[in-house]
Amino acid sequence: MKPSIYDLTQSELSDWLVEHHEKKFRASQIWQWLYEKRVISFKDMSNLSHKTIELLEESFIIAPLKEVVVQEGEDGTTKYLFELTDHHMIETVLMRQAYGLSVCVTTQIGCNIGCTFCASGLLKKQRNLTTGEIVAQIMKVQHYLDDQGKGERVSHIVVMGIGEPFDNYKNVMNFLTIMNDSKGLHIGARHVTVSTSGLVPKIKEFAENGLQVNLAISLHAPNNEVRTSIMQINKAYPIERLMDAVDFYLEKTNRRITFEYIMLAGVNDQAEHARQLAELLKDKKKLTYVNLIPYNTVEEHNNYQRSSKEDTLEFYNILKKQGINCVVRQEFGTDIDAACGQLRSKQMKKEKVKK
């Protein structure tokens, strides 16, 4: 199967064209067609020669995704199930926020991190997504918005879908470069958040990268005992090593980190856990933020339940009293398979029944 032209950054496209005896300036023309005019056929690139169009058609496809299911929620959230060229399926979510339209993208087919509460890990990692497959998620959503004719634009990106982004580091970084390109969609780096479960070496590499992209860390527990019981990655990178990487990042970038914390009833949501979390973050108060996340129950992980509103409020109040910046995350798409991985899992079950 031919690669997607979305795989290439603008500089890579320029180099590719020169290697194939084309003029370097053609890259900016093609880029404009792809990301400003957002065509889905090389034939629509009317200021290119027939020879150049034939070269592109012989070498690339544009979008490597096909829509399988689109679910629209009552709150305006839209969830997409896409099929890739090798017939694997991934999920992408459009969320309507007060500050704009945010899209959550997937970076891997399946996940090997082993979080015991998560629907994403129901399928073990099959492969990384290519840069083009990640870019195509944004473009598919933008095409969907374009077709509605309201002039809406994707303004924010969260790299928090299926998979561990830092386990697909190079392709994710190229994706960020393409999204941030001033001659493309030009989504500002500060409007992008990348989430990691805690790959310590990659957190440090990300700190050295110089991007202004926001970083979120899936913490979900204030001590090693609880974190190891729900997140296998803690065996490789326990909290002490993770916090060392966090300190390195904060010192290097002086940028705030968000800690994601899913509230699991009776597991990590008690007052003692809140006090432990406040103690863990006390020397990082000015540059950290805790996002308390109501748990979306996953059928296959029915041993977990969401924390009560009372326990969540008590947890929140303890953190606030200790001077920790925190918020209870607003929920989106609760009526449309909200948890990441649920829609894909449901579709796979349907196909298994058909067979």
Side-chain angles (χ1 to χ4, degrees):
M1 180 63 67
K2 290 179 285 190
S4 168
I5 197 167
Y6 290 149
D7 278 328
L8 303 180
T9 64
Q10 188 170 182
S11 62
E12 288 172 340
L13 178 58
S14 179
D15 291 343
W16 184 89
L17 287 165
V18 171
E19 288 172 9
H20 288 77
H21 312 294
E22 291 282 340
K23 300 292 186 183
K24 195 171 185 176
F25 74 87
R26 293 291 184 201
S28 61
Q29 292 179 317
I30 295 167
W31 205 257
Q32 184 180 41
W33 284 111
L34 291 173
Y35 296 106
E36 291 186 20
K37 298 181 180 179
R38 297 192 282 280
V39 301
I40 56 174
S41 170
F42 293 117
K43 287 186 171 68
D44 292 333
M45 299 181 178
S46 57
N47 60 350
L48 303 184
S49 68
H50 290 301
K51 175 174 166 286
T52 303
I53 290 173
E54 285 178 5
L55 175 64
L56 293 173
E57 288 181 329
E58 288 169 3
S59 304
F60 301 106
I61 58 172
I62 295 184
L65 306 180
K66 181 176 74 173
E67 289 177 14
V68 177
V69 177
V70 178
Q71 292 182 340
E72 295 190 11
E74 294 178 0
D75 61 1
T77 301
T78 306
K79 193 160 193 177
Y80 306 82
L81 184 68
F82 293 123
E83 184 178 23
L84 304 170
T85 54
D86 59 4
H87 306 299
H88 284 295
M89 288 182 287
I90 60 171
E91 296 178 20
T92 307
V93 184
L94 168 66
M95 296 165 287
R96 295 180 179 275
Q97 309 269 15
Y99 51 74
L101 300 185
S102 179
V103 176
C104 180
V105 298
T106 285
T107 57
Q108 295 179 314
I109 300 166
C111 183
N112 279 348
I113 296 302
C115 300
T116 58
F117 51 82
C118 182
S120 297
L122 293 173
L123 175 68
K124 294 304 177 185
K125 177 184 168 183
Q126 307 296 299
R127 67 173 176 85
N128 288 327
L129 294 189
T130 66
T131 297
E133 289 168 334
I134 307 172
V135 170
Q137 294 172 64
I138 299 295
M139 298 310 298
K140 274 285 192 180
V141 173
Q142 186 58 60
H143 290 150
Y144 174 86
L145 294 171
D146 291 342
D147 289 343
Q148 292 182 329
K150 298 178 182 178
E152 293 181 310
R153 293 287 306 276
V154 175
S155 60
H156 293 70
I157 296 171
V158 286
V159 188
M160 295 183 182
I162 297 170
E164 164 54 62
F166 281 177
D167 191 33
N168 187 12
Y169 189 83
K170 181 180 178 182
N171 289 337
V172 168
M173 293 302 108
N174 282 345
F175 160 73
L176 297 177
T177 299
I178 292 168
M179 290 297 99
N180 187 230
D181 192 302
S182 62
K183 295 182 179 177
L185 291 185
H186 198 195
I187 297 174
R190 297 189 180 195
H191 289 180
V192 180
T193 300
V194 177
S195 176
T196 177
S197 57
L199 271 66
V200 165
K202 292 302 180 184
I203 292 173
K204 292 182 177 180
E205 187 175 347
F206 190 68
E208 299 273 18
N209 191 286
L211 290 174
Q212 297 294 301
V213 170
N214 302 309
L215 177 65
I217 294 177
S218 296
L219 185 60
H220 304 318
N223 62 59
N224 283 323
E225 182 181 2
V226 175
R227 195 165 193 262
T228 299
S229 73
I230 62 176
M231 298 179 71
Q232 291 181 19
I233 192 172
N234 201 67
K235 295 177 183 178
Y237 302 113
I239 285 179
E240 294 79 13
R241 289 191 62 188
L242 178 58
M243 289 301 131
D244 283 344
V246 166
D247 288 339
F248 179 86
Y249 177 89
L250 295 176
E251 183 177 347
K252 194 76 179 175
T253 69
N254 201 38
R255 291 185 56 74
R256 191 174 72 176
I257 289 179
T258 296
F259 288 98
E260 308 284 353
Y261 198 101
I262 285 181
M263 300 293 289
L264 302 172
V267 177
N268 65 352
D269 67 341
Q270 301 304 296
E272 64 183 284
H273 298 127
R275 287 190 286 269
Q276 290 172 11
L277 182 58
E279 178 68 19
L280 184 68
L281 302 180
K282 68 179 182 180
D283 62 339
K284 305 173 179 58
K285 290 180 183 179
K286 292 182 180 179
L287 287 172
T288 58
Y289 195 85
V290 176
N291 202 351
L292 301 177
I293 305 170
Y295 179 60
N296 288 310
T297 304
V298 177
E299 181 182 340
E300 291 84 353
H301 298 318
N302 57 15
N303 51 320
Y304 293 115
Q305 299 298 323
R306 73 162 51 191
S307 301
S308 67
K309 290 183 179 178
E310 292 77 15
D311 285 345
T312 300
L313 181 59
E314 182 182 11
F315 200 101
Y316 169 85
N317 285 334
I318 290 171
L319 292 181
K320 292 293 284 186
K321 286 177 183 176
Q322 296 298 319
I324 304 298
N325 294 311
C326 64
V327 69
V328 178
R329 179 188 284 179
Q330 180 183 356
E331 296 187 77
F332 293 91
T334 54
D335 57 328
I336 53 168
D337 300 311
C340 194
Q342 284 186 333
L343 180 55
R344 182 196 60 189
S345 179
K346 182 185 287 188
Q347 185 68 21
M348 290 172 70
K349 287 177 184 176
K350 285 182 182 178
E351 294 187 357
K352 192 174 287 187
V353 169
K354 288 179 185 177
K355 291 177 182 178

